[in-house]
Amino acid sequence: MIGLVDGNNFFVSCERVFNRRLVGRPVAVLSNNDGCCVARSNEFKALGIPMGTPYFRLKHREKSGEISFCSSNYELYGDMSNRIISILREEAVDVEQYSIDEAFIYPPTTAAADYISYGKHLRAKVLKWVGIPCGVGFAPTKTLAKIANHIAKKQPDGVYLLPDDPTEILANLPCSEIWGIGRHLAPKLKAERILTAQHLRDASNDTLRAIGGVTLLRTAIELGGVSCHEERDYDADPDSISCSRSFGEPATTLEALSESLASFSTQAASKLRRHGLLAAGCNIYAQIFADGGGGECIGRTIVFATPTDATNEILHAIS
């Protein structure tokens, strides 16, 4: 059995630990430079404000007292994450951190008698010692544990054990909500009439390989209860490096965009050297918000003449 422990609205929950006036209020944490919403409380989500909404569009609602905002504090969030992981390592046989607010756990054999009680104990300990509410889901595989965790967050006690036969749950779960099914893959599955997690689980191996290769096939196998995802090292060198920021105010000049592009490229090159990596190319993207309209994404891919970590070479290639 595998468990997934996931902090609820993690960045917001971290802020609430140290500012109790935010509890129960619609709160969002902003990206670097206070550009856009990157984390929202349940109360904030209930207002229908989407993730990624630029801050400058919401300032008037903050001034009226309707909603509250916090500037991001990633050192704080990292410290709170480490505290949670320390607790989980005391209570589980093994812990595999997946992200800053998520970790897969492998419970001790003694937990098998009552996974719900074990999950409640974990959740209560994290809440008492760190102050972060968590959802805890249990299932035979990581993919199913993700589903169980999603259901757990809607339970009064925040814990859920997936039934031995989850077919009914999978039949009502759209493919787009399955771990690892991105926005590009979902339309391909829909074209083959694979609309739910049950459809994906029961699809033929040849069909799945043709649509998404071995990765999609592994997801389907995991939906069937057979574990086949490899362990992921959260601290391992990354496959890619990104550096992005949102503007605190609308950027309307080419000079401002050029300066930001040079700054981000410099930071990305520094990260490359820190990890001892070379980049074969880069993707440049931007999201443009027109007055009163939604965001439009534009992008460009550049392949370097030779792999590099040199700032000047990267800047020359993208100029």
Side-chain angles (χ1 to χ4, degrees), residues 7-319:
N8 298 346
N9 309 316
F10 185 66
F11 291 175
V12 171
S13 295
C14 289
E15 296 290 345
R16 283 175 165 174
V17 170
F18 296 95
N19 186 351
R20 304 305 294 173
R21 290 177 296 179
L22 298 176
V23 176
R25 285 190 51 76
V27 183
V29 172
L30 299 170
S31 61
N32 286 311
N33 204 32
D34 290 350
C36 64
C37 302
V38 294
R40 301 164 296 159
S41 68
N42 290 335
E43 298 84 358
F44 197 94
K45 295 174 184 176
L47 297 176
I49 304 173
M51 180 77 82
T53 302
Y55 174 53
F56 67 82
R57 288 188 175 177
L58 302 170
K59 280 185 177 179
H60 65 287
R61 299 177 71 171
E62 181 185 29
K63 290 179 180 178
S64 70
E66 179 186 3
I67 54 182
S68 299
F69 293 95
C70 299
S71 297
S72 53
N73 184 346
Y74 295 110
E75 286 191 16
L76 169 64
Y77 310 149
D79 180 71
M80 299 291 273
S81 174
N82 290 337
R83 296 184 190 190
I84 294 174
I85 296 300
S86 295
I87 292 173
L88 298 181
R89 284 180 175 146
E90 292 178 356
E91 299 289 339
V93 174
D94 193 16
V95 176
E96 181 187 336
Q97 186 170 7
Y98 178 70
S99 67
I100 193 170
D101 62 344
E102 293 177 279
F104 292 105
I105 62 170
Y106 297 84
T109 55
T110 53
D114 192 345
Y115 284 112
I116 295 296
S117 295
Y118 173 71
K120 289 180 179 179
H121 167 72
L122 275 182
R123 189 173 187 275
K125 189 171 181 178
V126 170
L127 186 61
K128 180 179 179 179
W129 288 22
V130 188
I132 302 297
C134 296
V136 185
F138 295 101
T141 71
K142 290 181 180 178
T143 302
L144 290 175
K146 277 275 193 176
I147 296 172
N149 181 272
H150 180 73
I151 298 173
K153 289 188 173 184
K154 299 178 181 179
Q155 305 299 311
D157 57 12
V159 181
Y160 186 76
L161 172 64
L162 204 69
D164 292 336
D165 182 4
T167 298
E168 183 176 351
I169 293 171
L170 300 183
N172 292 287
L173 183 70
C175 280
S176 58
E177 295 185 19
I178 301 171
W179 181 41
I181 305 297
R183 58 178 179 171
H184 298 297
L185 196 55
K188 295 180 180 179
L189 292 170
K190 185 177 181 180
E192 296 294 330
R193 303 298 299 167
I194 301 175
L195 307 177
T196 69
Q198 182 187 6
H199 291 157
L200 181 59
R201 181 195 66 181
D202 297 339
S204 71
N205 292 352
D206 290 341
T207 298
L208 296 177
R209 284 197 186 95
I211 297 172
V214 68
T215 301
L216 182 61
L217 181 58
R218 285 175 179 169
T219 297
I221 292 173
E222 289 232 335
L223 289 172
V226 178
S227 183
C228 60
H229 270 301
E230 296 177 355
E231 184 172 339
R232 176 182 180 272
D233 185 356
Y234 181 69
D235 295 320
D237 289 333
D239 295 324
S240 63
I241 285 175
S242 65
C243 185
S244 63
R245 299 290 187 275
S246 298
F247 292 94
E249 298 291 341
T252 57
T253 67
L254 182 60
E255 182 182 5
L257 292 173
S258 297
E259 289 178 354
S260 296
L261 185 58
S263 174
F264 301 161
S265 299
T266 300
Q267 294 177 50
S270 177
K271 291 181 181 179
L272 284 170
R273 293 190 292 271
R274 191 182 314 146
H275 288 280
L277 301 174
L278 299 177
C282 69
N283 296 310
I284 301 173
Y285 62 92
Q287 190 168 19
I288 302 173
F289 290 90
D291 291 339
E296 176 188 358
C297 286
I298 60 174
R300 177 188 175 196
T301 299
I302 298 172
V303 178
F304 300 152
T306 57
T308 182
D309 63 2
T311 302
N312 62 328
E313 294 178 5
I314 293 175
L315 290 174
H316 177 73
I318 67 177
S319 62

